[in-house]
Every structure is written in structure tokens, then in C-alpha cells.
Amino acid sequence: MAPAPVADGARSGRTTPIVLLLLLAVAAAAYYAVVPDYFRARDGVRVELAARAAQRWDAAARDYVARGWRDSVTNVTSAMVDDYYARLDEPPVEWPDAADLATLDASDTNGVSVAVSLRGGARRVSAADLLRPAQDP
């Protein structure tokens, strides 16, 4: 017995070029809908973590100055801040991995600031960044 004839428009089991094009279009749309938001959110988290760490660093440094242990916030070191929180039985200041502690600057009027690596480049972050919304480049 001969096999049944296949209708002209029937599916042969192979993917047609138009189906591949549609699948690629859906994948590209999903990529461009999700990936930029992911990087924006990741950068926002890095900025917020660095700003909160700067806020804790500022609080410890200002307490050093208020108690008369140092004459200026700029004379307080990171080791002193870690020791301060150790004496209070609190965890030390935890900076995000993206923060470059070599750029720590306590001479700013906004308190301590540090450069944080973001996708668009480095940005200087201080505790004042907790009070204002992030600026889009």
C-alpha cells in the first residue's frame, strides 16, 4: 500500500525561515526589554549600598570628632571606623565590591565619598545620594 499523499501546505517538520525570523525577533525584543533594566537596577543597588556605607562611615567619623579623639573628619581612617563599630559590637562598614576604597575622600562637604564602578563609568557616591534620586546619564 502506498503512503497517503501529503497536502501541499502541510507541515513537513522543518523550521521555515519566517518562523526563525519571528523567533529571533521575539528573542531580541525580550533581550532589549530585560537586559537594560537589569544593569540599571544593578547600578542602583551599587550606588545605594555605597551611600549607606558612606553614611555609616560618616557617623563614626563625626563621633570621633565630637568626642575630641580627632580634630577633623579627614583625619579618621577606615581602620579607626572599623574599630569604632567593633567596640559597639556592630558589623564593620561593608562597601560594595564596585567601590574603589583607594578613592575614599572625607574632605567633601557631603561627607565621605568614594568612586563606584558602574556600567556607564565610575561615579562618586556619598551619603547625600540617599536623599536624591539617581541621575540618568
Side-chain angles (χ1 to χ4, degrees):
M1 188 171 234
V6 176
D8 235 8
R11 184 145 163 82
S12 65
R14 292 185 317 167
T15 305
T16 62
I18 191 73
V19 171
L20 283 176
L21 184 63
L22 287 173
L23 288 174
L24 286 173
V26 168
Y31 176 83
Y32 286 110
V34 172
V35 171
D37 289 336
Y38 165 77
F39 285 118
R40 197 173 305 118
R42 185 186 69 176
D43 287 349
V45 167
R46 287 178 172 177
V47 168
E48 183 166 347
L49 289 174
R52 290 192 187 284
Q55 186 179 39
R56 287 192 71 217
W57 201 98
D58 282 339
R62 292 186 194 289
D63 193 39
Y64 263 89
V65 173
R67 292 176 189 248
W69 295 338
R70 289 287 181 254
D71 57 346
S72 167
V73 173
T74 57
N75 294 335
V76 178
T77 65
S78 294
M80 297 166 104
V81 171
D82 289 343
D83 182 54
Y84 173 82
Y85 283 115
R87 281 187 274 133
L88 295 176
D89 290 328
E90 290 186 21
V93 176
E94 292 184 33
W95 297 95
D97 293 337
D100 182 9
L101 295 182
T103 63
L104 195 72
D105 181 18
S107 64
D108 191 6
T109 57
N110 291 328
V112 69
S113 65
V114 67
V116 177
S117 299
L118 304 176
R119 188 159 195 245
R123 175 179 166 193
R124 193 149 276 294
V125 176
S126 69
D129 287 302
L130 289 174
L131 304 176
R132 63 178 182 231
Q135 302 164 353
D136 287 330

PDB file of all heavy atoms in Angstrom, residues 111-128:
ATOM      1  N   GLY A 111      30.254  64.802  53.182  1.00  0.00           N
ATOM      2  CA  GLY A 111      30.768  63.678  53.952  1.00  0.00           C
ATOM      3  C   GLY A 111      31.697  62.856  53.095  1.00  0.00           C
ATOM      4  O   GLY A 111      32.151  63.279  52.037  1.00  0.00           O
ATOM      5  N   VAL A 112      31.974  61.659  53.540  1.00  0.00           N
ATOM      6  CA  VAL A 112      32.894  60.798  52.806  1.00  0.00           C
ATOM      7  C   VAL A 112      32.272  60.403  51.478  1.00  0.00           C
ATOM      8  O   VAL A 112      31.074  60.213  51.363  1.00  0.00           O
ATOM      9  CB  VAL A 112      33.274  59.554  53.642  1.00  0.00           C
ATOM     10  CG1 VAL A 112      32.111  58.620  53.803  1.00  0.00           C
ATOM     11  CG2 VAL A 112      34.443  58.826  53.029  1.00  0.00           C
ATOM     12  N   SER A 113      33.108  60.334  50.468  1.00  0.00           N
ATOM     13  CA  SER A 113      32.647  59.882  49.159  1.00  0.00           C
ATOM     14  C   SER A 113      33.652  58.892  48.603  1.00  0.00           C
ATOM     15  O   SER A 113      34.819  58.872  48.996  1.00  0.00           O
ATOM     16  CB  SER A 113      32.473  61.059  48.201  1.00  0.00           C
ATOM     17  OG  SER A 113      33.709  61.676  47.935  1.00  0.00           O
ATOM     18  N   VAL A 114      33.179  58.050  47.697  1.00  0.00           N
ATOM     19  CA  VAL A 114      34.008  57.010  47.108  1.00  0.00           C
ATOM     20  C   VAL A 114      33.556  56.819  45.663  1.00  0.00           C
ATOM     21  O   VAL A 114      32.388  57.030  45.337  1.00  0.00           O
ATOM     22  CB  VAL A 114      33.896  55.695  47.925  1.00  0.00           C
ATOM     23  CG1 VAL A 114      32.528  55.090  47.836  1.00  0.00           C
ATOM     24  CG2 VAL A 114      34.960  54.704  47.527  1.00  0.00           C
ATOM     25  N   ALA A 115      34.499  56.449  44.809  1.00  0.00           N
ATOM     26  CA  ALA A 115      34.161  56.168  43.414  1.00  0.00           C
ATOM     27  C   ALA A 115      33.615  54.744  43.310  1.00  0.00           C
ATOM     28  O   ALA A 115      34.186  53.814  43.862  1.00  0.00           O
ATOM     29  CB  ALA A 115      35.378  56.338  42.524  1.00  0.00           C
ATOM     30  N   VAL A 116      32.512  54.607  42.604  1.00  0.00           N
ATOM     31  CA  VAL A 116      31.871  53.307  42.405  1.00  0.00           C
ATOM     32  C   VAL A 116      31.835  53.024  40.913  1.00  0.00           C
ATOM     33  O   VAL A 116      31.415  53.870  40.126  1.00  0.00           O
ATOM     34  CB  VAL A 116      30.440  53.292  42.996  1.00  0.00           C
ATOM     35  CG1 VAL A 116      29.752  51.980  42.723  1.00  0.00           C
ATOM     36  CG2 VAL A 116      30.477  53.582  44.471  1.00  0.00           C
ATOM     37  N   SER A 117      32.271  51.829  40.536  1.00  0.00           N
ATOM     38  CA  SER A 117      32.267  51.428  39.129  1.00  0.00           C
ATOM     39  C   SER A 117      30.862  51.034  38.709  1.00  0.00           C
ATOM     40  O   SER A 117      30.265  50.125  39.283  1.00  0.00           O
ATOM     41  CB  SER A 117      33.200  50.243  38.905  1.00  0.00           C
ATOM     42  OG  SER A 117      34.506  50.590  39.245  1.00  0.00           O
ATOM     43  N   LEU A 118      30.359  51.734  37.722  1.00  0.00           N
ATOM     44  CA  LEU A 118      29.051  51.431  37.165  1.00  0.00           C
ATOM     45  C   LEU A 118      29.212  51.094  35.692  1.00  0.00           C
ATOM     46  O   LEU A 118      30.293  51.262  35.123  1.00  0.00           O
ATOM     47  CB  LEU A 118      28.106  52.628  37.331  1.00  0.00           C
ATOM     48  CG  LEU A 118      27.918  53.132  38.756  1.00  0.00           C
ATOM     49  CD1 LEU A 118      27.054  54.375  38.770  1.00  0.00           C
ATOM     50  CD2 LEU A 118      27.314  52.053  39.624  1.00  0.00           C
ATOM     51  N   ARG A 119      28.158  50.656  35.066  1.00  0.00           N
ATOM     52  CA  ARG A 119      28.246  50.245  33.662  1.00  0.00           C
ATOM     53  C   ARG A 119      28.631  51.422  32.779  1.00  0.00           C
ATOM     54  O   ARG A 119      29.364  51.264  31.822  1.00  0.00           O
ATOM     55  CB  ARG A 119      26.923  49.658  33.213  1.00  0.00           C
ATOM     56  CG  ARG A 119      27.013  49.037  31.848  1.00  0.00           C
ATOM     57  CD  ARG A 119      25.905  48.044  31.648  1.00  0.00           C
ATOM     58  NE  ARG A 119      26.192  47.218  30.497  1.00  0.00           N
ATOM     59  CZ  ARG A 119      25.462  47.222  29.401  1.00  0.00           C
ATOM     60  NH1 ARG A 119      24.413  47.998  29.311  1.00  0.00           N
ATOM     61  NH2 ARG A 119      25.777  46.426  28.394  1.00  0.00           N
ATOM     62  N   GLY A 120      28.167  52.608  33.078  1.00  0.00           N
ATOM     63  CA  GLY A 120      28.471  53.782  32.271  1.00  0.00           C
ATOM     64  C   GLY A 120      29.759  54.466  32.667  1.00  0.00           C
ATOM     65  O   GLY A 120      30.111  55.505  32.119  1.00  0.00           O
ATOM     66  N   GLY A 121      30.485  53.941  33.637  1.00  0.00           N
ATOM     67  CA  GLY A 121      31.719  54.552  34.118  1.00  0.00           C
ATOM     68  C   GLY A 121      31.654  54.759  35.618  1.00  0.00           C
ATOM     69  O   GLY A 121      30.639  54.490  36.258  1.00  0.00           O
ATOM     70  N   ALA A 122      32.734  55.266  36.162  1.00  0.00           N
ATOM     71  CA  ALA A 122      32.802  55.475  37.612  1.00  0.00           C
ATOM     72  C   ALA A 122      31.967  56.691  38.013  1.00  0.00           C
ATOM     73  O   ALA A 122      31.845  57.654  37.259  1.00  0.00           O
ATOM     74  CB  ALA A 122      34.242  55.660  38.046  1.00  0.00           C
ATOM     75  N   ARG A 123      31.395  56.622  39.203  1.00  0.00           N
ATOM     76  CA  ARG A 123      30.603  57.728  39.756  1.00  0.00           C
ATOM     77  C   ARG A 123      30.977  57.903  41.210  1.00  0.00           C
ATOM     78  O   ARG A 123      31.137  56.935  41.946  1.00  0.00           O
ATOM     79  CB  ARG A 123      29.125  57.395  39.618  1.00  0.00           C
ATOM     80  CG  ARG A 123      28.222  58.412  40.273  1.00  0.00           C
ATOM     81  CD  ARG A 123      26.774  58.041  40.085  1.00  0.00           C
ATOM     82  NE  ARG A 123      25.953  58.824  40.986  1.00  0.00           N
ATOM     83  CZ  ARG A 123      24.694  58.564  41.241  1.00  0.00           C
ATOM     84  NH1 ARG A 123      24.098  57.560  40.644  1.00  0.00           N
ATOM     85  NH2 ARG A 123      24.016  59.311  42.077  1.00  0.00           N
ATOM     86  N   ARG A 124      31.118  59.150  41.644  1.00  0.00           N
ATOM     87  CA  ARG A 124      31.436  59.438  43.030  1.00  0.00           C
ATOM     88  C   ARG A 124      30.138  59.410  43.824  1.00  0.00           C
ATOM     89  O   ARG A 124      29.168  60.057  43.468  1.00  0.00           O
ATOM     90  CB  ARG A 124      32.101  60.809  43.144  1.00  0.00           C
ATOM     91  CG  ARG A 124      32.701  60.976  44.506  1.00  0.00           C
ATOM     92  CD  ARG A 124      33.915  61.839  44.524  1.00  0.00           C
ATOM     93  NE  ARG A 124      35.218  61.332  44.233  1.00  0.00           N
ATOM     94  CZ  ARG A 124      35.915  60.474  44.929  1.00  0.00           C
ATOM     95  NH1 ARG A 124      35.393  59.884  45.952  1.00  0.00           N
ATOM     96  NH2 ARG A 124      37.136  60.167  44.614  1.00  0.00           N
ATOM     97  N   VAL A 125      30.124  58.621  44.904  1.00  0.00           N
ATOM     98  CA  VAL A 125      28.917  58.414  45.707  1.00  0.00           C
ATOM     99  C   VAL A 125      29.200  58.828  47.139  1.00  0.00           C
ATOM    100  O   VAL A 125      30.253  58.523  47.694  1.00  0.00           O
ATOM    101  CB  VAL A 125      28.496  56.922  45.666  1.00  0.00           C
ATOM    102  CG1 VAL A 125      27.319  56.661  46.569  1.00  0.00           C
ATOM    103  CG2 VAL A 125      28.179  56.508  44.245  1.00  0.00           C
ATOM    104  N   SER A 126      28.237  59.531  47.740  1.00  0.00           N
ATOM    105  CA  SER A 126      28.329  59.909  49.152  1.00  0.00           C
ATOM    106  C   SER A 126      26.983  59.625  49.810  1.00  0.00           C
ATOM    107  O   SER A 126      26.039  59.183  49.152  1.00  0.00           O
ATOM    108  CB  SER A 126      28.684  61.394  49.289  1.00  0.00           C
ATOM    109  OG  SER A 126      27.604  62.197  48.866  1.00  0.00           O
ATOM    110  N   ALA A 127      26.891  59.906  51.097  1.00  0.00           N
ATOM    111  CA  ALA A 127      25.629  59.666  51.811  1.00  0.00           C
ATOM    112  C   ALA A 127      24.512  60.550  51.268  1.00  0.00           C
ATOM    113  O   ALA A 127      23.344  60.205  51.390  1.00  0.00           O
ATOM    114  CB  ALA A 127      25.826  59.915  53.304  1.00  0.00           C
ATOM    115  N   ALA A 128      24.862  61.656  50.629  1.00  0.00           N
ATOM    116  CA  ALA A 128      23.842  62.541  50.056  1.00  0.00           C
ATOM    117  C   ALA A 128      23.073  61.861  48.933  1.00  0.00           C
ATOM    118  O   ALA A 128      21.959  62.278  48.601  1.00  0.00           O
ATOM    119  CB  ALA A 128      24.492  63.816  49.539  1.00  0.00           C
TER     120      ALA A 128
END
